[in-house]
Amino acid sequence: MNYFLALLLVGSASVFTACAQKKQKEETTRKETNKMGWNELSPEEARVIVNKGTEYPGTGTLLNNKEKGTYTCKRCNAALYRSESKFDSHCGWPSFDDEIKGAVKRLPDPDGSRTEIVCANCGGHLGHVFLGEGFTSKDTRHCVNSISMNFVPDKKQQ
């Protein structure tokens, strides 16, 4: 009987030790991500920004924003777009005809049908860019997920 009790205690100890090691490993991974200096993302933000998803058209909080200011990357706070380049394309997502110089990187989609746009600083997925549609004189439309950005209003002059 004592033999079985000893086996049970040893077996239980190894299970608890394995769980503790797994938890410690997860915490280390989480800390490494934070070392990048990036903002914590909600599961929905991560689905779009990290896993290259998209938000439903017409649902983004920044779609109808008309304030003057700067649109920044939700993941790393890098400035991406100025409000002066935003226009209403009626596509369901915020649209811009120009980015802040060097802020956005263009990458061909694997199937070659579209061009993805990502934050040049952290690589976070923003959306896609389309050329030749004639919406503006620049003939460019950056179709950006609201969830990929924050908005920083310009300071009002007193």
Side-chain angles (χ1 to χ4, degrees):
M1 180 78 158
N2 287 340
Y3 175 74
F4 290 112
L5 184 58
L7 278 178
L8 181 62
L9 289 174
V10 169
S12 298
S14 65
V15 169
F16 290 125
T17 303
C19 290
Q21 288 174 345
K22 184 177 180 182
K23 185 176 181 180
Q24 184 179 14
K25 186 175 184 180
E26 288 171 2
E27 287 174 4
T28 302
T29 303
R30 197 173 315 121
K31 286 178 186 172
E32 287 173 9
T33 301
N34 290 338
K35 284 181 186 176
M36 297 302 294
W38 295 339
N39 299 317
E40 293 289 329
L41 300 175
S42 72
E44 182 62 12
E45 291 165 345
R47 183 185 72 77
V48 173
I49 297 167
V50 177
N51 299 318
K52 302 182 186 297
T54 190
E55 63 192 1
Y56 290 105
T59 62
T61 58
L62 298 174
L63 177 60
N64 297 312
N65 183 32
K66 305 276 191 243
E67 288 185 67
K68 298 289 184 199
T70 304
Y71 293 84
T72 63
C73 177
K74 184 154 295 176
R75 189 183 201 188
C76 72
N77 300 324
L80 302 169
Y81 301 97
R82 287 288 304 150
S83 57
E84 292 80 12
S85 66
K86 189 172 189 276
F87 68 97
D88 193 359
S89 67
H90 303 283
C91 71
W93 293 274
S95 298
F96 303 87
D97 68 356
D98 204 2
E99 71 270 17
I100 293 172
K101 187 175 176 151
V104 177
K105 190 172 174 183
R106 298 178 186 199
L107 305 169
D109 273 355
D111 66 3
S113 65
R114 297 185 299 177
T115 301
E116 178 189 12
I117 48 177
V118 299
C119 172
N121 186 53
C122 72
H125 176 73
L126 302 172
H128 291 85
V129 65
F130 302 93
L131 305 173
E133 298 176 320
F135 284 113
T136 70
S137 62
K138 294 183 180 174
D139 215 11
T140 301
R141 175 173 59 99
H142 289 240
C143 186
V144 185
N145 292 289
S146 285
I147 201 166
S148 296
M149 299 183 293
N150 287 314
F151 178 74
V152 180
D154 286 345
K155 293 180 181 175
K156 296 185 179 177
Q157 299 293 325
Q158 292 185 8

